[in-house]
Amino acid sequence: MPKTATAARSAPERLHLTADVLVLGGGPSAAWAAVAAAESGATVVLADKGYLGTSGATAPSNTGTWCVPPGDNRHAVVERRWQRTGELADQRWMLRCVDTAYRNLLQLSEWGYPFPSEDDGRLYIANLRGPDYMRFMRRRVLLAGVTVLDHHPALELLSDGDAIVGAAGIGRQIERDWRVDAKAVVLATGGCAFRERILGSTGLTGDGYLMAAEAGASLSGMEFTGKYTLAPHGSSLNKGLPFRWASFHREDGSAILGPTGEPLRNGIGEREEEVARALIEGPVYARLDQAEPALQGWLRQGQPNCFVPYDRAGIDPFADLFRVSLRAEGTVRGTGGIDIVSDDCGTGVPGLYVAGDAASREIMTGAVSGGGAVNSSWALASGWWAGKGASTHARRRGGKAFRNEVRPLGQAGLRPAASPRADIAAREIIETVRAEVVPLDKNFFRSGAGLEKSGERLESVWRDVRDHLQGEGVERIRTREAASIAAAGRWSVAAALHRSESRGMHRRTDLPGKSPTLAHRLVLTGVDDFRISGAPERLAELAS
Amino acid sequence: MIEIVSATRCVECDICVKVCPANVFDATKDGAPVIARQEDCQTCFLCEIYCPTDALYVAETAEGPTGISEAEVEARHLFGGYARALGWKRGKAGGSQFDPTHRIRVAQ
């Protein structure tokens, strides 16, 4: 019989629970963290902004995994992948990740997740269909005895001065505040999509980054937000795979050329650069005309979400030209996030763990995008480690956790530094941030002068947020999201300015090429007054 | 973006209110749920596949509504189209065992 979280005495208008481990988030890494913690004997509460099963970037998608079976070949596969990471990834972490992810994929098949079969009858476990996978994981989380609070966004972390001891937020459908006292917290709140209208973006506002930074955790890789993916114009379908077999054309019908001068016949990976250049000049149209009939069938059947926009708009994408956009993906398919300092996904702040896209994936994929596959395996592995780490911490801390007075840590968007102002509103703040971190000519291609200007604007937005933004009741969700987006945008531009070179998805037109002195991670510490240091300095600091 | 809750198809189970990750719907006392926060819709189409009676329609545009009518969605057999493509039925998951995506990855 699994242990369940207990309701404590509290004012009737507030939900007050206690647990060993609190997981914040509702995507795959949150689910795996909750299962891992519960299996180690911890009482677990999972609180998500949306619904565990549909929240996050995975649920609406169909994602590959980075699936590397054990064996002699594994080191070689990891080594080859590392070569593509701009020298910033860490092979030890990559190896750990493929190992744990593989084990959890096998676990899924043992649990009965309906994987497809290959022609020889073996299960093909290297792909997960989002809606089915996340619905399945919801069931596993509930079977593990976890208390799930859907539509219960967290607004802030709680600290007892020594460690993180829970979080507080609001049940948005019942308009009731909640608080969970927990001996450890896992942030699995996802990345920051800067409110771009892409799959999963609604909840991905970087809330975890701000909460972690307020608690004293660091961030890394925040400059790597230059990943964009093709989508039918005006749609939410940021899924690049079908564009692997596409041709691209300008308004006048002329073909867009690749680096060799031949017409572009593949719009994904590094070829996004040619498409981006053309999109800055004017509208771009595509046609999936490089796909053979058999492949067309597999694409339709295997990636049905990608075809929903075409079917509904009455387009045959294999025969007709249709307009496309590059959708900004922030840190979701970028690599930035909360810096991990220990093997159990600890953040360096006692009691605070991180998993999935909320964590920096620089150690996994460096300066290039992990795409769906690496990020999906990372969620499988980091969720597991963070859940175990949090439950071990909870056990070690025992009764010491709630002895001191508990203090809420939320600042910007909740407790402004000066008097609140009604004219500082969440929506306008988000639009102002988007104007600096979304346009292709500012963020896909960057320049020192452009980043300076963006940085000044974002500083001014941040001052308004810090000093004057406040909401009441459920509106606090919006003000807190706006504060998180403003903070993430400001950190991202500052880190991009600091990285005076080009590396991976960080493309400086004024500084093309890698600088050997910058072949290390940039770690950012502090909310309002932050500093950026190289990873080696950070390590020395931790050791001292 | 979510555009239609068909009152004729809806059985008022309010599952969409629960599962929408963007909290777009509000339940009502004596009728079908209403689209209360359309602007928040992330156009993920997941409400459609969780709906046991294919009563919901999400149009393909993410930035704003198209204004499509329920009659047109019916006439073009668009209700439940995404669920059918996946193999989900009456709000229940299904079809992932037939996913041929591994063949695409080989071709890639």
Side-chain angles (χ1 to χ4, degrees), chain A residues 81-234:
Chain A
R81 168 86 207 181
W82 181 84
Q83 300 292 348
R84 293 162 45 202
T85 66
E87 297 147 62
L88 296 187
D90 180 331
Q91 292 195 39
R92 190 180 72 85
W93 276 93
M94 296 168 83
L95 275 166
R96 289 185 76 206
C97 176
V98 292
D99 193 55
T100 301
Y102 189 79
R103 221 179 45 220
N104 281 345
L105 285 166
L106 292 181
Q107 175 72 78
L108 270 174
S109 101
E110 280 164 30
W111 283 337
Y113 174 78
F115 282 109
S117 303
E118 301 205 61
D119 293 335
D120 60 7
R122 280 181 312 156
L123 286 184
Y124 181 79
I125 62 167
N127 199 79
L128 292 162
R129 216 170 65 168
D132 307 73
Y133 169 41
M134 286 315 299
R135 186 177 183 138
F136 189 89
M137 286 309 295
R138 178 183 179 87
R139 196 170 147 65
R140 294 310 308 186
V141 169
L142 292 170
L143 280 173
V146 173
T147 301
V148 174
L149 303 174
D150 299 304
H151 298 289
H152 276 61
L155 294 171
E156 57 184 332
L157 295 172
L158 307 175
S159 164
D160 69 358
D162 296 327
I164 294 304
V165 290
I170 182 164
R172 65 182 178 183
Q173 293 190 330
I174 44 176
E175 302 195 17
R176 178 182 66 178
D177 282 13
W178 62 265
R179 168 177 164 172
V180 176
D181 292 331
K183 292 170 193 157
V185 173
V186 178
L187 286 170
T189 42
C192 183
F194 296 114
R195 265 295 143 76
E196 184 83 333
R197 291 184 176 272
I198 54 176
L199 295 176
S201 66
T202 184
L204 302 176
T205 46
D207 309 355
Y209 302 164
L210 184 55
M211 285 193 273
E214 285 169 341
S218 296
L219 301 156
S220 85
M222 289 304 287
E223 65 274 36
F224 299 118
T225 54
K227 176 71 179 86
Y228 290 65
T229 289
L230 278 162
H233 183 68

Side-chain angles (χ1 to χ4, degrees), chain A residues 54 62 64 114 116 119 124 127 129 132 135 151 172-173 197 200-202 234 236 301-303 312 327 478, chain B residues 17-21 23 39-43 48 58 62-63 76 86 88 91 94 96 98-99 101 103 105:
Chain A
T54 60
N62 187 351
D119 293 335
Y124 181 79
N127 199 79
R129 216 170 65 168
D132 307 73
R135 186 177 183 138
H151 298 289
R172 65 182 178 183
Q173 293 190 330
R197 291 184 176 272
S201 66
T202 184
S236 59
Q301 202 193 332
Q303 306 288 309
R312 294 184 183 191
R327 285 289 201 183
R478 312 247 178 202
Chain B
V17 179
K18 202 171 78 173
V19 303
C20 171
N23 195 31
E39 164 70 16
D40 290 347
C41 175
Q42 64 171 1
T43 317
E48 281 192 25
V58 178
E63 307 289 342
R76 291 175 56 201
L86 283 169
W88 283 44
S96 68
F98 306 117
D99 181 354
T101 297
R103 300 186 193 282
R105 307 256 182 235

